[in-house]
Amino acid sequence: AIKKGEMAEILAGLVELAYAALGAIAMHGGDVADQTVSWKHDGYVISVMRLLSDKINNCASGNIDDYSDVYCSCVHLARSFLNADFDKAFKVVHENNMSKLDDSGKLIYEYAGKIRKSEPFKSPDLSDCLYE
């Protein structure tokens, strides 16, 4: 999405990444720690990719602060790089994910099967979350 410059798809990726980081934090029984994001818009997409790659790589530690760093970076990039309403986008993604649960709280479809087949997950359209 970053290579294509599709802003709604980039936003979806950032929100899904933040959602996954939040899930990891919750599984560890923690809370998001407010992290300062030191990234300035330099006009190059490669700097966004480097920032995210470094933050994701740091999560190999299993430290909640590293997951918080990913979450805070996604929020910052959505708001400053994309000029988007992160909170609204996060709510849309959360509601989309919750719609895939059955009454017992289990996923209706099998994530592992999609991963094995390398089928991409379909994110909801977040175009309405982008500011003009």
Side-chain angles (χ1 to χ4, degrees), residues 71-117:
Y71 179 85
C72 292
S73 296
C74 290
V75 172
H76 178 77
L77 290 171
R79 291 178 177 159
S80 66
F81 178 64
L82 297 178
N83 192 28
D85 185 340
F86 178 84
D87 296 328
K88 181 178 178 182
F90 192 90
K91 182 179 178 185
V92 170
V93 167
H94 178 67
E95 288 172 355
N96 182 60
N97 289 342
M98 292 299 103
S99 73
K100 295 175 183 167
L101 298 176
D102 64 14
D103 292 336
S104 68
K106 294 181 181 176
L107 287 172
I108 293 172
Y109 61 89
E110 184 183 75
Y111 279 107
K114 286 189 171 279
I115 292 169
R116 279 195 306 272
K117 295 176 188 173

Side-chain angles (χ1 to χ4, degrees), residues 13 22 29 36 62 65 132:
L22 190 60
T36 303
D65 288 340
E132 293 290 326

Side-chain angles (χ1 to χ4, degrees), residues 31-101:
D31 290 320
V32 174
D34 195 21
Q35 303 285 336
T36 303
V37 179
S38 59
W39 177 83
K40 294 182 182 177
H41 192 323
D42 61 4
Y44 296 103
V45 173
I46 193 74
S47 68
V48 174
M49 295 172 77
R50 282 187 185 137
L51 172 75
L52 290 174
S53 293
D54 290 345
K55 302 295 182 191
I56 292 167
N57 189 45
N58 291 342
C59 289
S61 70
N63 187 335
I64 292 175
D65 288 340
D66 292 328
Y67 289 106
S68 290
D69 207 9
V70 169
Y71 179 85
C72 292
S73 296
C74 290
V75 172
H76 178 77
L77 290 171
R79 291 178 177 159
S80 66
F81 178 64
L82 297 178
N83 192 28
D85 185 340
F86 178 84
D87 296 328
K88 181 178 178 182
F90 192 90
K91 182 179 178 185
V92 170
V93 167
H94 178 67
E95 288 172 355
N96 182 60
N97 289 342
M98 292 299 103
S99 73
K100 295 175 183 167
L101 298 176

